[in-house]
Structures are given as C-alpha cells and as structure tokens.
Amino acid sequence: MISTAIIPIAQQFNLDAGQTGLIMSFFFLGYSLMQIPGGWLADKIGAKRVLMLSLLIISFFSFAFGMVSGLMLFICIRFFAGLGHGGYPPSVSKAIADNFPQEKRTFVQSLILSTSGIGGILAFTLGANLVAKNWHYAYLALGTLFLLSFILVWRFVPNVQPTKAVKPSEKISFLTMLKNQNIFVLFLAMLLLNFLLYGNMSWLPSYISTKFQLDISTTGLILACNAIFQTLATIFAGSLLSKLFLGREKIFLLTATFVSAALVFAFVSSNNIMLSIVFLILISMISISAFTTIFTWPHKIMDPAIIGSSIGIINTGGTLGGFLAPMVLGYLIKLSGGSFTLAFLFMAGASVLCGLSALLVKKD
C-alpha cells in the first residue's frame, strides 16, 4: 500500500524521489535482517509462535505509521515493520512442511503466495480509496487487518512442535546447511528478480499517474485489475510446477525471466495507455510465476528439517532486492531528470541475470 500512499505523503511533506525511495526501502532492510533469524526460530521453536509474533509486530507499526509525520519517523517505523514481517515467509513455509506431504507442498506454497495478489487487490481498491481521502486512515485499516490475521492464525493454524515434526537423528546443523550451494544460488536469483518485482511495486503507481495523468483512484483500479491476474498466475504457476514442469524448473524460470525482460522494454516504450496496461498485466503474471518457481523450489530439493532456515536465507535475497530496488531506481529516475526509462531497463537486465543464475542450481 506504500506505493500509492507515498504519492500524497510526498506532496504533503515535499519529499523528492530519493527521500520517498528511502521510506520504501527501509521496510526491506528490516525485513532482510530478520529473515534468517526468523527461519531459524521457526525451525527451533515452531512456526506458529513466530508467525503470531510477526503479525503482532507489523500490526503495531502499521498503526504507528498512520499516526506520525516527518521523514525520519516514517523511515524508522518502516524499518521496524520490516523486522516484524521478516518472520512471516519462513514460518509459513515451515508450517507447510510440517502439515503437508511433499507432493502437495509446491501447490500449497503457491496458494499462500497468491495471497500477495489478493492483498494487492485490497491495497489498490480499499487502500487506494482510503489513501485518496486520507492516507492516515489507510494505515489504521491495515493495522486492523493484521490484527485480524493474528487472531485467525491463533485460532486455526495447528500448533506443531519441532520435536514432533522432526526426529532428533534427522536434524541438520545450521553450518551444514550453509554448505549447500543451491541455497546461495537461489538467494542470488531471488535478489535479482526482486529488482523487477519490487521496482514494479514501488514505482508503478507514480509512473502510470505521471505518464498518463491519472488520479490515485484510477491508478488504484488499474493496479487492482493487475493484482487479480497476478493472483491467478501464481496459482496456475504452482499447478504447472507440480505437474508439467516438475523437474524442469530451470527451463520454466529461464523462459519466464527472459520474456519478462522483453515485456518491460515494451511497457516503457509504449505511449498508449491500453497497450501499456496489457504489457503491465503480462509482466506481473510472468514475473510472479518466476518468483513462485524460486520460492517453491526448496520444497523439492531441501530437507524439511531446515526448510524454515533455507527459505529465510533465500528470501533474504528477495528482501535485499526489495531494499535496494526503490533506492537504486529512485536514484536512476532522479539522474534521468524524472524519466523512468533507465530505471525500467535496469529492472529488465536484472530479470535476465536472474534466469541465468538459476542455471547453477544442482539437483541430486
């Protein structure tokens, strides 16, 4: 929701692209720092406890963001909200490994990932309309939704203890896990891909509203439609990776990243709003399919005993990309005198490198 809220925030506090980039980026700095500890804790004390703590922390700081003013306060609160969010992805992956057989984990993980698209729909409809009225109200609503999520997790998620999920003789040390080359290859792939994903997420509203002179509500409606297609693509990709492309993940990822790069180039070159929307939807669908590939791959090539820690390390690459993308792209936009072309070409190049890096994954 920050990508639409940042528009009135920047206007109200006279912030430039570099400063708004910092506000968007510092969430991902906190997120990155907590990914590995969050995954380790999920493996050690149980996924449900880490998940509930994460939701409580981010709920608190979502409320706080809607109540403050000033650049430094925005940056600090975004950082601590990121720390809270850092425990979420690895604890969810650990809960999937604890509660589902291996053949179902890829599809279940893709269903969980599809909720990002559903969240996007809410952010760009309910959220954008609240932002258009008063951005403070939008963050009060967001904090309330996180609190509701906490209650639902507490009530419905099974409380599987680590000792029940994994026998002591089957446990793998953290240092042994760090010797696994695949973890760091997927870390790099996730980092590169997230320059495209979070670059899109952070700067698309500003780009579309500036280039085509649209208001926040109209921009939100376009991005909500985009999020619907992104949600469907995530589920569809999970189904493909569970069946048709089982064991052929490299081919799937390489194709998705190269096509995404070509579409980014077409998107930034287009001056027709309808054509640009089509390109935008295709970019989102195909790039999120690449993300689904990387995020679900560990369930096929990693031991369930270390899945929380593995996902924590791999997704740290993604969150570092999320931290760097708004700042780097904001700097490139500023360097180009407000033009987004150089920034989007940078995102396309990162997508190509992501596909190439995945060729280094080794499967026993």
Side-chain angles (χ1 to χ4, degrees), residues 254-329:
L254 197 64
T255 304
T257 51
F258 274 66
V259 171
S260 294
L263 288 167
V264 168
F265 183 79
F267 173 71
V268 80
S269 303
S270 171
N271 291 314
N272 181 289
I273 187 169
M274 294 307 298
L275 197 57
S276 294
I277 291 171
V278 171
F279 287 140
L280 167 62
I281 289 170
L282 289 174
I283 290 167
S284 296
M285 291 179 71
I286 297 172
S287 61
I288 201 66
S289 297
F291 178 84
T292 304
T293 306
I294 299 172
F295 207 100
T296 59
W297 216 341
H299 285 294
K300 302 175 184 177
I301 58 176
M302 306 289 179
D303 192 295
I306 55 163
I307 198 69
S309 300
S310 300
I311 292 288
I313 294 172
I314 292 164
N315 208 38
T316 298
T319 52
L320 281 175
F323 170 64
L324 293 171
M327 286 196 304
V328 172
L329 298 174

Side-chain angles (χ1 to χ4, degrees), residues 6-151:
I6 203 67
I7 298 171
I9 289 172
Q11 292 170 349
Q12 183 178 346
F13 298 100
N14 298 313
L15 305 177
D16 61 29
Q19 292 170 319
T20 55
L22 283 174
I23 293 174
M24 290 188 281
S25 288
F26 263 75
F27 173 87
F28 295 102
L29 178 60
Y31 195 171
S32 299
L33 291 173
M34 188 51 66
Q35 283 279 286
I36 296 173
W40 181 81
L41 282 171
D43 286 333
K44 294 296 179 183
I45 67 172
K48 183 173 181 176
R49 292 176 182 175
V50 177
L51 184 54
M52 289 172 64
L53 180 61
S54 296
L55 290 168
L56 268 183
I57 292 171
I58 197 169
S59 177
F60 174 80
F61 285 104
S62 295
F63 284 127
F65 190 85
M67 297 177 183
V68 301
S69 59
L71 179 62
M72 290 309 298
L73 283 172
F74 287 138
I75 290 172
C76 289
I77 288 174
R78 289 277 294 167
F79 173 78
F80 286 110
L83 285 177
H85 201 83
Y88 171 80
S91 58
V92 167
S93 295
K94 179 64 177 176
I96 291 169
D98 285 344
N99 290 284
F100 293 91
Q102 187 174 23
E103 65 272 14
K104 293 184 180 180
R105 290 173 194 161
T106 297
F107 184 67
V108 173
Q109 184 77 71
S110 72
L111 287 177
I112 300 297
L113 293 176
S114 73
T115 62
S116 295
I118 297 169
I121 296 165
L122 290 172
F124 295 129
T125 50
L126 173 64
N129 283 312
L130 286 172
V131 166
K133 293 178 182 177
N134 188 320
W135 65 268
H136 297 277
Y137 297 157
Y139 275 87
L140 293 176
L142 184 64
T144 302
L145 289 173
F146 274 113
L147 196 57
L148 177 61
S149 298
F150 166 81
I151 294 168

Side-chain angles (χ1 to χ4, degrees), residues 154-173:
W154 168 72
R155 178 65 181 85
F156 294 109
V157 173
N159 191 19
V160 179
Q161 297 298 324
T163 51
K164 294 179 182 178
V166 183
K167 296 178 182 178
S169 60
E170 296 174 347
K171 289 183 179 179
I172 300 171
S173 73

